[in-house]
Amino acid sequence: MGRVIVLGSTITDLVARAHRLPLPGEALVGDDFATYLGGKGFNQAVAAARMGADVTFIGRVGVDAFGDAFAAALEQEGIERTHLTRDNATGTGTACVMIGTDRGQNAIIVLPQANFTLSAGMVEEVMQSMLKDVADQHTIFIAQCEMRLATITAGLRCARNAGMTTVLNAAPAPRESFSSELFALIDMLVVNESEAGTLANLTVNTPDSAMEATSRLIVRGPSHVIVTLGEQGSIWSSKTGEQELNHRWVPAIPVTQVDATAAGDAFCGALAAQLAQGLTTEEALHRANVAGALAVTRQGAFPSLPTQKEVQAFLASGSL
């Protein structure tokens, strides 16, 4: 089955839809409002579970209705939630999401709240309790940037010391600079164009500029760097020797886009699940690409994450 450990955020998405995104300073009358369970960590855990992985979730919520909903959803998805803890003083994380239905684009403000109260010491204690069962390179440890960098670094360090493969989805783009230690603990770094630009200190909006960003980032520690570019596909760069890099452009899968909210999370969760199940990086990326494409054809984050059967059916249909 393959095991994935997700050090992840829990964010309740408060989603407003309008015919387009508002301009700065503009009050725009919307068309619809809905509440969804989300957060990049939660979404990626669900995506990995739906893609067939045995998933353990490490996270923190508030003592509130949103926190109750996350606990129930993790259990429903078959995800181990023993390490989902509660913070009595701080509420569950929330996000205000605006979606322009004309092009399926979105703008998001994230309020991590309880996610920021998960400390490095808490994560180290949890990881130590699991090490006897997961000291295997086919166990994938994945984290995102909706919690404190010290907490993320602690998780990556414990995972690396246990022989796991480490994946960091550096989303959203961090306010703090990554330390040299953090970069050195990452086996696979996954970013979109804005996140790549922030980390590499350049503008990324084309495959060529994404390739330049991966070249700057991979020398800092990761063995693989993947930059997703939406409709322009993605760039996957990997080390082939101490001084040699291999760059590949992976084309996007053409679909009708409805809501791009969870596309990156579907991609990352599916990637982790497929790697945990022993697929090569190329094969795992191919299936992750399909998962991300399917996710944008549906509304919402949690509801849009595809299952392994759906990805397999798409591959069997010859739609690529």
Side-chain angles (χ1 to χ4, degrees), residues 4 74 86 91 124 140 145 166 187 194 198 214 232 257 310:
V4 175
L74 289 169
R86 300 275 189 144
E124 289 169 352
I140 306 300
C145 288
T166 58
D187 291 313
S194 64
T198 297
T214 64
Q232 297 184 82
Q257 181 167 293
E310 289 172 327

Side-chain angles (χ1 to χ4, degrees), residues 22-74:
L23 300 173
E26 178 185 18
L28 186 68
V29 176
D31 301 320
D32 185 32
F33 175 81
T35 300
Y36 300 102
L37 299 184
K40 292 184 178 300
F42 173 78
N43 291 340
Q44 290 175 23
V46 172
R50 291 183 181 178
M51 288 296 291
D54 179 6
V55 181
T56 297
F57 187 80
I58 305 171
R60 194 161 176 84
V61 295
V63 182
D64 51 30
F66 291 156
D68 294 341
F70 277 111
L74 289 169

Side-chain angles (χ1 to χ4, degrees), residues 140-142 156 159-160 164-168 185-188:
I140 306 300
F141 179 91
I142 184 168
L156 291 169
R160 172 63 66 81
M164 304 177 203
T165 297
T166 58
V167 180
L168 178 64
L185 293 170
I186 303 168
D187 291 313
M188 183 174 291

Side-chain angles (χ1 to χ4, degrees), residues 7-8 58-60 114-124 127 141 143-144 146-158 168 176 182 185:
L7 173 59
I58 305 171
R60 194 161 176 84
N115 295 287
F116 273 8
T117 69
L118 184 64
S119 69
M122 293 175 184
V123 171
E124 289 169 352
M127 292 294 290
F141 179 91
Q144 318 76 35
E146 288 178 330
M147 57 185 58
R148 300 192 184 281
L149 288 187
T151 303
I152 297 165
T153 303
L156 291 169
R157 186 188 307 115
C158 291
L168 178 64
E176 307 170 60
L182 194 155
L185 293 170

